[in-house]
Amino acid sequence: MRILLIGAPGAGKGTQATLVAERFGITHISSGDLLRKHVTEQTAIGRAAKAYLARGDLVPDAVVMDMLRKPVVAASASGGYVLDGFPRTVAQAEAAYETARGLGVAVEVAVFLEVPAAELTRRLLARGRGADDTPEVIAHRLEVFESKTRPMLDYYADREELITVNGARPVGEVAWSITVQLQRVLKRA
Ligand code: AP5
C-alpha cells in the first residue's frame, strides 16, 4: 500500500505514520526526519537544507525530490510506504506523480489530518524540538502550510484520493479512524 500523510506542523503526521507503518507492514518515510539527519551528518543535502529548516521555510523541490527518490522506490518494492511530510506543494505533488507513475510507485491514498491552529501551536510549543519549535518559527511554519500546502488538498480531492480525519482527538482514536478508512480503501482496490 502507498499512502501519504498530509497535515500542518504538529498535526501528528510522524506519530500516526509510525502506527500506520506498523499496522500495514509498510515503510515510514519522513521528509523532515531525513532532512534533519542530513543536516546532522553535514552532507551536501544537509548543507543545502539547513537554513530553510531553521527558518521554517520549505527546502527547494529539487533537493527534496533527489533525497526521496531512492527510499520511495525501495519501499515500494518491499510492501509500500507511508510518506510523511511530502509532497507539500502542488508543484511537488505534480512532479512526484509524473516520476512515480513512470516507476509504477504512485500514491494510492492521501490522508489529511485536520487539527485547529491553536492545538497545533500548543503541541509544538510543548514539544520544543529545537530551532524550528520557537513561537516565531512555529507561526511561520503554520503560514507556510496555509499558503503552500493547503491548496494541494484540492489536487488529491479532485483525483478522489483524499481521506480527511479529525486529528484533534487522542492518538489512539485518530489511529483507529485512519485504520478503518484505509481498510475501506484496501477492500475497494
Ligand atoms: P517536518 O519534520 O515534516 O515537520 P512539520 O510538518 O512541521 O511537522 P512536525 O514534525 O512538527 O509535526 P507532525 O505533524 O509530524 O506531528 P508529530 O507527530 O511530530 O518538516 C520540518 C521542516 O523540513 C519543514 O519546515 C521544511 O523546512 C522541511 N521539509 C520537510 N518536508 C519538506 C518538503 N516536502 N518540501 C520542502 N521542505 C520540507 O506531533 C507533534 C507533537 O504533538 C508531538 O509532541 C506529539 O507527541 C504530539 N501529538 C501528536 N498527535 C497528538 C494527539 N493526537 N494529541 C495530542 N498530542 C499529539
Side-chain angles (χ1 to χ4, degrees):
M1 188 167 213
R2 297 184 298 273
I3 305 166
L4 299 183
L5 265 190
I6 305 168
K13 300 182 295 297
T15 304
Q16 295 298 331
T18 304
L19 299 172
V20 166
E22 277 170 19
R23 177 74 184 76
F24 291 90
I26 54 181
T27 306
H28 174 196
I29 302 172
S30 159
S31 52
D33 287 350
L34 284 174
L35 285 166
R36 283 184 287 278
K37 188 165 177 275
H38 278 281
V39 170
T40 305
E41 292 172 1
Q42 299 183 15
T43 65
I45 288 176
R47 288 196 298 276
K50 188 174 179 180
Y52 293 91
L53 285 161
R55 289 196 303 266
D57 279 326
L58 296 182
V59 173
D61 292 352
V63 176
V64 180
M65 302 279 299
D66 194 35
M67 176 183 79
L68 290 175
R69 195 167 291 115
K70 262 196 200 159
V72 166
V73 171
S76 300
S78 63
Y81 58 76
V82 50
L83 202 40
D84 139 24
F86 177 89
R88 259 176 147 89
T89 64
V90 174
Q92 284 187 1
E94 288 173 347
Y97 178 70
E98 285 308 318
T99 309
R101 195 182 49 160
L103 297 167
V105 300
V107 67
E108 292 163 291
V109 55
V111 178
F112 172 48
L113 289 175
E114 193 162 38
V115 178
E119 172 65 6
L120 297 169
T121 306
R122 188 196 67 74
R123 287 182 189 177
L124 294 174
L125 286 174
R127 179 182 64 183
R129 176 165 66 195
D132 73 345
D133 273 353
T134 64
E136 297 74 23
V137 179
I138 288 170
H140 183 60
R141 286 161 62 202
L142 294 176
E143 280 165 17
V144 169
F145 172 80
E146 289 302 328
S147 62
K148 305 256 173 72
T149 307
R150 193 180 282 282
M152 190 183 75
L153 295 175
D154 289 340
Y155 174 86
Y156 290 105
D158 288 348
R159 299 158 54 104
E160 299 183 352
E161 288 166 346
L162 188 69
I163 289 170
T164 299
V165 169
N166 172 5
R169 296 166 293 164
V171 171
E173 279 184 37
V174 179
W176 180 81
S177 238
I178 294 174
T179 300
V180 168
Q181 301 218 48
L182 287 178
Q183 277 168 342
R184 265 189 221 140
V185 173
L186 272 180
K187 265 195 203 145
R188 278 204 313 260

